[in-house]
Amino acid sequence: MARTVPGRTDRVVVVGAGLAGLSAALRLRGAGREVTVVERAPGPGGRAGRVELRGYALDTGPSVFTAPELVADALAAVGEKPEHRLTLVPLETTYRARFADGSHLDVHADVDAFAAEVEALCGPGEAAALRRYLADLAELYRLQLSTFIDRNLDTPLDLLGPELVALVRRGGFGRLSRHVERHFTDDRLRRLFSFQALYAGVSPYRAIAAYAVIAQLDIGAGVWHPVGGIAAVPRAMAAAAADAGVEFRYGTSVERLDGAGRRVTGVLTDDGERLPADVVVVTVDSPERLVPGFARRRRPVYSPSCVALHVGVRAELPGQAHHTISFGAAWREVFAELTRDGRPMSDPSLLVSMPSVTDRSLAPDGGQVLSIVAPTPNLDPGSGGNPDLDWTTLTPRYREEVLAALEGRGWTGLTAAIEVEHVDTPLTWAAQGMAAGTPFALAHTFGQTGPFRTPTLPRRGPENVVLAGSSVQPGVGVPMVVISGRLAAERITGPSRAGVATMAPPGTARTR
């Protein structure tokens, strides 16, 4: 049984209205707690931001939305149904992978359709390998869900059990690159099923094979688009929480936590107000700056960062997919540049999202919105980053390089058609309070995974301060931070599995 907050827990203050804070607030309110959410921004969302310019709606945070059942479950905690707050559109083509040799592969949520694409591009042998690999991913995912992801962990001993033994036997602690190479001979498929390691903040040549399950979420279980953009998700969660009685204080920063001994008794805001609290849920990236007595067990290692270029273009750009992974020719060397040498990718692989293909509410007639994400080093030299990169002067040139790369890969006319744009770099991420200037938080190295990652209820610091968000268990990404909010709430209310849906098993997401 995971530890819980001792003593009275009636009044809870949640610091941060991102997805983790909103998830926690919904569950706590559903359990009868008095909840106040304090957010320094003018509205909800956190990393899932939004910029609206001249009729273009640009999501400035996550661009890929998976595991909608987790958001549905959070809404259900206050008696809400997701269809009353959100419209979710399943994507038949979850990704289009474009390779440096000019070939491309459409990744489908439907296994038969995906296998047919692979057979046409790579041959029947690789199509058969794909089916075996997807089945392997589903089993790997099942083993990890209950072991590493979907519960609070206090010590490594919490992992002991038959699932861990099975995970070891399946090679879950070997290298991801070797795990993928054992299944596929075609280099294009090897890249397709290993690039997700960057989501976890590590090179596929260093990541453990267990991280292959990241592909299970967006390739095996499918991708969805929330109408109105991904920023519509936190807005829906916040609206449901407010209607259920959660109080929101937007445009308000937390100066410090107030208390004595082992307990915090209140939250002091920048306008001098003191909010009394029996428990505080902290979702900031660097809790050590706010939580008295809290300290990480070791020097943190951070994920690479990125330059994110969000543009509104007056062009149709016909034939492009909702999500495109544009692979460069280089592979192993670019990971060394990102995580060891502190240099931007010389031959970048890019994630390009054009959600207006699916959702015309995001752009004016004749226009499209695009988000172009180029991984870059972070600002922490101890994590292979480079604080000396002058992004103030480098950004205009790097922007031109990224756009030129896309023009050369089939996005002809993109640059000249740009009407509005918003650019984020490691410097702007840092200015938003993200440690090491990266929106991807702590890397999922072995020493920062599972019970070795900061728990939602640390042993150091006040006994009634709970953590949630990307830098704590279970980890980075929209599904994980939504789960972290639930795990944080359970540190306060105790575990209650009645009516709680976990992440949907493979193949079920389309039926929700």
Side-chain angles (χ1 to χ4, degrees):
M1 179 75 69
R3 294 182 302 119
T4 56
V5 173
R8 183 174 176 174
T9 64
D10 297 335
R11 296 175 300 183
V12 184
V13 174
V14 178
V15 181
L19 292 170
L22 294 169
S23 174
L26 284 164
R27 292 187 175 282
L28 289 165
R29 185 60 190 148
R33 299 319 194 263
E34 178 185 327
V35 182
T36 301
V37 179
V38 182
E39 169 57 54
R40 68 177 184 176
R47 280 171 165 80
R50 164 67 61 84
V51 172
E52 297 184 5
L53 299 168
R54 295 169 56 186
Y56 295 95
L58 309 175
D59 276 324
T60 59
S63 56
V64 179
F65 183 70
T66 60
E69 63 274 6
L70 295 177
V71 172
D73 189 42
L75 292 170
V78 293
E80 291 271 1
K81 293 184 178 181
E83 57 267 29
H84 295 164
R85 298 283 181 178
L86 284 168
T87 300
L88 299 175
V89 179
L91 302 184
E92 292 184 9
T93 299
T94 59
Y95 288 107
R96 174 167 295 157
R98 290 192 175 276
F99 303 101
D101 64 0
S103 63
H104 76 272
L105 175 68
D106 281 355
V107 177
H108 296 283
D110 179 79
V111 175
D112 291 333
F114 189 12
E117 291 272 353
V118 170
E119 181 169 356
L121 180 66
C122 310
E126 292 294 81
L130 172 75
R131 292 181 182 275
R132 291 191 297 270
Y133 188 69
L134 290 176
D136 180 74
L137 276 187
E139 177 61 14
L140 198 63
Y141 173 75
R142 185 191 67 80
L143 292 171
Q144 287 190 66
L145 182 61
S146 59
T147 305
F148 283 100
I149 298 172
D150 204 34
R151 62 176 178 144
N152 279 305
L153 298 168
D154 288 318
T155 75
L157 295 177
D158 292 338
L159 294 180
L160 297 179
E163 291 86 0
L164 180 64
V165 174
L167 189 60
V168 172
R169 287 176 175 170
R170 296 185 74 88
F173 295 98
R175 293 298 182 203
L176 173 62
S177 57
R178 294 173 186 167
H179 178 79
V180 176
E181 287 168 2
R182 283 197 297 270
H183 284 82
F184 300 108
T185 58
D186 193 294
D187 188 60
R188 294 169 294 189
L189 295 179
R190 289 175 171 179
R191 294 188 182 195
L192 179 63
F193 282 100
S194 60
F195 84 92
Q196 294 91 350
L198 275 182
Y199 295 164
V202 287
S203 159
Y205 298 98
R206 293 185 56 204
I208 60 174
Y211 294 146
V213 297
I214 300 174
Q216 172 59 35
L217 290 176
D218 53 11
I219 292 179
V223 174
W224 302 69
H225 172 74
V227 172
I230 289 184
V233 175
R235 291 178 179 178
M237 295 173 73
D243 286 350
V246 173
E247 181 182 359
F248 284 87
R249 303 288 187 91
Y250 294 120
T252 303
S253 295
V254 173
E255 288 293 312
R256 63 183 177 90
L257 306 186
D258 186 35
R262 288 278 290 157
R263 288 189 77 86
V264 164
T265 58
V267 172
L268 297 180
T269 67
D270 59 352
D271 57 7
E273 186 177 7
R274 184 182 186 276
L275 303 175
D278 300 316
V279 188
V280 179
V281 179
V282 174
T283 69
V284 301
D285 229 23
S286 300
E288 60 270 20
R289 299 178 183 175
L290 190 61
V291 182
F294 171 78
R296 299 188 188 278
R297 289 174 290 183
R298 58 180 64 83
R299 194 185 192 287
V301 177
Y302 292 98
S303 301
S305 184
C306 69
V307 166
L309 174 60
H310 309 285
V311 297
V313 300
R314 182 66 64 174
E316 294 288 349
L317 300 174
Q320 301 293 350
H322 188 119
H323 293 299
T324 299
I325 310 164
S326 177
F327 290 101
W331 189 242
R332 184 186 288 263
E333 52 268 43
V334 296
F335 290 109
E337 291 170 342
L338 280 178
T339 62
R340 186 191 67 197
D341 302 335
R343 299 201 309 265
M345 286 181 164
S346 55
D347 182 18
S349 291
L350 307 169
L351 173 61
V352 184
S353 297
M354 196 163 78
S356 48
V357 170
T358 303
D359 182 0
R360 290 305 309 162
S361 72
L362 300 176
D365 290 343
Q368 302 283 7
V369 293
L370 291 87
S371 291
I372 305 156
V373 178
T376 65
N378 62 41
L379 302 178
D380 177 37
S383 305
N386 188 348
D388 296 324
L389 285 174
D390 183 5
W391 284 105
T392 302
T393 56
L394 179 60
T395 298
R397 186 173 79 245
Y398 194 63
R399 168 194 180 276
E400 296 301 321
E401 291 177 3
V402 169
L403 290 173
L406 282 180
E407 294 265 5
R409 298 176 187 178
W411 298 80
T412 307
L414 168 63
T415 306
I418 293 176
E419 287 195 324
V420 300
E421 65 181 85
H422 174 87
V423 183
D424 281 312
T425 73
L427 287 184
T428 59
W429 302 126
Q432 295 175 48
M434 299 181 198
T438 173
F440 305 116
L442 290 178
H444 281 267
T445 61
F446 182 79
Q448 295 180 164
T449 296
F452 306 112
R453 200 172 184 87
T454 301
T456 51
L457 184 58
R459 293 188 183 276
R460 301 180 184 182
E463 64 183 6
N464 62 335
V465 173
V466 180
L467 306 181
S470 298
S471 292
V472 302
Q473 297 172 7
V476 179
V478 171
M480 299 305 165
V481 298
V482 175
I483 289 175
S484 82
R486 174 174 63 77
L487 297 181
E490 288 183 357
R491 294 288 197 177
I492 299 165
T493 64
S496 175
R497 308 307 300 168
V500 175
T502 58
M503 299 170 77
T508 64
R510 296 281 175 207
T511 65
R512 293 188 69 85

